[in-house]
Amino acid sequence: MALDGKKILSFVHHEFEDLELWYPILRLREEGAQVDLAGEEAHVKYIGKYGVPAESDFSYGDISPKDYDAILVPGGWAPDKIRRFPEVLNIVQFMDEHKKPIGQICHAGWVLISAGILTGKKVTSTPGIKDDMMNAGAEWVDSAVVVDGHLVSSQRPPDLPDYMRAFIKVMEQQ
């Protein structure tokens, strides 16, 4: 399997976009990666926009980014909550500084904006936050998936297969 031995962290909070959380997790686990979920609190059941639950393994504060090879940020309304935690922003900044893969889809760009890592980066997102991404210094591209070095971004659930192919390819190059 392409990602045997890799550890990936995914953030979670209430009202995540169900497919944008679960499809990447399942796809990466199929490739042999360990994917952990971190939420505001450990061992809490978070509910997606369409009612699918996800239980956190750890709290944001429990995480040492040095222990992970990559991170994923799901979309939905959860990113607006996730970005309020300094621990999350520190994790994102660490991963960016160390050029570890960062995956973000749909509204997940809000977390990267709050972490202040988008200046000069080429990205995509849901068109609804296009202006936010550009105001944060990013070059926004209308494409299903955009790869800029270690940063992999995508627009919406129908783009998930392209997003995961690109993310896995970036992971394999690490």
Side-chain angles (χ1 to χ4, degrees):
M1 291 185 268
L3 301 180
D4 273 340
K6 298 287 187 182
K7 282 182 70 175
I8 301 167
L9 178 67
S10 182
F11 297 124
V12 67
H13 209 293
H14 293 294
E15 298 187 88
F16 59 87
E17 206 299 333
D18 306 57
L19 285 172
E20 293 170 358
L21 177 82
W22 280 112
Y23 182 96
I25 289 172
L26 296 173
R27 185 68 196 90
L28 294 166
R29 286 177 178 167
E30 286 176 345
E31 292 295 332
Q34 174 184 328
V35 184
D36 295 332
L37 279 171
E40 181 177 0
E41 297 177 56
H43 309 294
V44 168
K45 187 185 292 184
Y46 294 91
I47 306 299
K49 285 172 51 177
Y50 304 106
V52 178
E55 185 172 326
S56 58
D57 301 301
F58 303 101
S59 74
Y60 304 137
D62 293 336
I63 298 301
S64 172
K66 293 180 282 193
D67 296 337
Y68 290 90
D69 300 298
I71 57 171
L72 290 170
V73 185
W77 306 128
D80 191 37
K81 297 174 181 107
I82 294 168
R83 68 181 177 163
R84 299 174 192 189
F85 295 89
E87 303 93 337
V88 168
L89 303 182
N90 291 335
I91 292 166
V92 171
Q93 290 163 350
F94 177 92
M95 299 304 261
D96 184 57
E97 289 167 17
H98 291 86
K99 306 296 183 219
K100 293 186 178 189
I102 299 172
Q104 65 97 21
I105 186 168
C106 199
H107 286 84
W110 279 336
V111 176
L112 281 61
I113 289 167
S114 292
I117 68 163
L118 291 181
T119 301
K121 302 287 175 103
K122 193 177 286 192
V123 296
T124 195
S125 66
T126 177
I129 66 166
K130 171 185 174 181
D131 292 345
D132 300 334
M133 302 288 271
M134 292 177 10
N135 289 336
E139 177 186 340
W140 191 87
V141 180
D142 187 6
S143 181
V145 65
V146 172
V147 177
D148 187 351
H150 63 287
L151 183 60
V152 182
S153 56
S154 194
Q155 291 190 337
R156 39 181 87 88
D159 304 323
L160 283 163
D162 293 333
Y163 173 51
M164 279 299 95
R165 277 191 291 277
F167 189 80
I168 289 167
K169 185 175 180 180
V170 169
M171 288 286 308
E172 290 172 331
Q173 296 169 354
Q174 295 292 309

